[in-house]
Amino acid sequence: MTNNQIYMYIISDSAGETASKLAHASIAQYDQLDVDVQLLKQTFIEDPSDLMVALEEAKNLNAIVLQTLISEKLVRLSNDYCQKNNLFTIDALSPIVNEVKKRTGIEPSRVPGALHFLNENYFERINAMEFAVKYDDGKDPRGFLEADILLLGVSRTSKTPLSLFLANKNLKVANLPLIPEAHIPSQIWEVDPKKIVGLTNDPKILNAIREDRMRSYGLRPNTAYSDIGKIKDELKFANELYEKIGCLIINVAQRSIEETASIILTELGLEDHSYFC
């Protein structure tokens, strides 16, 4: 094993999604560097024998152990093993769960995978996803009045992926593409401006995105769709509409979907929905 090869071993009594997100967030810091990170996973661990198999493999690889175990017995076993064998480990759940117990005096349920049960929140998320698909691209403006969030923006400002990302947080999201020549649905003016988000972009960046889009279709990049002058006109039309509505405006240039979504959740006071992702 070379010095720049690292193993991360996820050990969980559920699907391991929490630890996976932590691992990927760490690995992302080395995407462009000469570091080879290998991710392994052992999930739905229920008894000590399965845990020991995973820990032995982690030991043989000198892996970084990321564990999300809720059973006190399994947590003790894992932590003791890692300490005795000089394995670096992060126990992602126990410190927080134990601190809540300390402050409230209430014992946790200790149920593996409790976040992902088929409860009311799960079905709300499914409904939100179906809503986002049904009311994507302004298919039915009547959906604007039922939406928690209405996204507006010219073509290629990430309306659809943002709608689906936010739907995964139990939010009903509709979106409408803005075209200067097209009719603006009257329902827009019936929606609370505090629920509307206007998405914009920098002309040069949007030009590059649209040219790449044309190439992906096997077409020439220089079209009316990607014309910089037309793009400026579209953005001017959109920004004037946003000002008239009085809604939140976000420039998505150089922003990831996650970053834009975070701004929306914060500015619209919907941060609590992030718990359900």
Side-chain angles (χ1 to χ4, degrees):
M1 184 191 306
T2 59
N3 289 333
N4 63 346
Q5 185 175 44
I6 302 292
Y7 289 91
M8 289 191 183
Y9 206 119
I10 291 170
I11 297 178
S12 176
D13 50 22
S14 184
E17 293 180 18
T18 301
S20 292
K21 289 180 179 179
L22 179 60
H24 285 296
S26 303
I27 293 170
Q29 299 299 318
Y30 294 91
D31 279 349
Q32 307 302 319
L33 303 174
D34 186 25
V35 178
D36 178 21
V37 182
Q38 299 293 321
L39 192 61
L40 300 96
K41 186 184 294 187
Q42 187 67 258
T43 57
F44 297 102
I45 290 176
E46 296 180 354
D47 57 67
S49 60
D50 291 335
L51 176 58
M52 289 306 299
V53 170
L55 289 171
E56 287 288 345
E57 185 174 1
K59 175 187 174 183
N60 292 336
L61 295 169
N62 190 29
I64 295 171
V65 177
L66 306 177
Q67 57 169 305
T68 50
L69 300 166
I70 198 63
S71 161
E72 288 184 294
K73 178 180 179 181
L74 294 181
V75 170
R76 281 198 301 271
L77 180 60
S78 180
N79 286 339
D80 288 347
Y81 183 94
C82 290
Q83 183 176 4
K84 290 177 182 177
N85 291 278
N86 296 315
L87 278 177
F88 179 85
T89 183
I90 293 178
D91 178 3
L93 294 182
S94 296
I96 299 174
V97 171
N98 291 337
E99 183 64 19
V100 172
K101 172 186 173 182
K102 177 182 175 182
R103 295 187 183 199
T104 64
I106 300 173
E107 286 284 344
S109 62
R110 302 282 176 190
V111 177
L115 181 61
H116 304 290
F117 277 166
L118 299 183
N119 56 17
E120 183 180 350
N121 289 321
Y122 175 85
F123 292 107
E124 284 181 3
R125 184 182 307 157
I126 297 300
N127 289 334
M129 296 293 286
E130 292 175 346
F131 185 96
V133 172
K134 182 177 181 179
Y135 296 110
D136 184 40
D137 272 345
K139 292 173 184 173
D140 185 352
R142 291 175 297 182
F144 298 171
L145 305 178
E146 301 176 42
D148 297 312
I149 301 172
L150 172 58
L151 301 177
L152 307 178
V154 302
S155 177
R156 315 313 301 170
T157 47
S158 304
K159 297 181 298 299
T160 296
L162 258 176
S163 295
L164 294 173
F165 187 90
L166 291 166
N168 198 43
K169 298 180 182 295
N170 296 31
L171 289 163
K172 294 187 294 183
V173 185
N175 72 73
L176 174 70
L178 297 179
I179 305 171
E181 302 82 12
H183 170 70
I184 298 296
S186 60
Q187 287 87 349
I188 279 184
W189 308 106
E190 300 177 46
V191 179
D192 183 348
K194 294 179 181 178
K195 293 183 177 183
I196 300 177
V197 178
L199 304 174
T200 187
N201 206 326
D202 296 341
K204 289 184 179 180
I205 292 177
L206 198 51
N207 167 257
I209 292 172
R210 291 188 180 184
E211 286 187 348
D212 285 343
R213 186 68 169 176
M214 291 297 96
R215 290 189 188 95
S216 71
Y217 289 145
L219 302 172
R220 61 186 181 86
N222 299 319
T223 64
Y225 177 66
S226 59
D227 179 75
I228 192 72
K230 188 174 183 296
I231 288 174
K232 289 179 179 178
D233 289 341
E234 289 182 37
L235 292 173
K236 181 174 183 291
F237 169 79
N239 287 322
E240 288 177 351
L241 178 63
Y242 302 156
E243 293 293 341
K244 189 179 297 184
I245 293 172
C247 64
L248 172 66
I249 303 174
I250 301 176
N251 190 325
V252 300
Q254 308 296 347
R255 283 198 170 101
S256 65
I257 298 298
E258 293 83 355
E259 184 181 359
T260 303
S262 178
I263 293 171
I264 291 172
L265 292 171
T266 300
E267 294 296 327
L268 271 56
L270 298 169
E271 297 97 327
D272 288 346
H273 283 270
S274 62
Y275 168 80
F276 300 109
C277 65

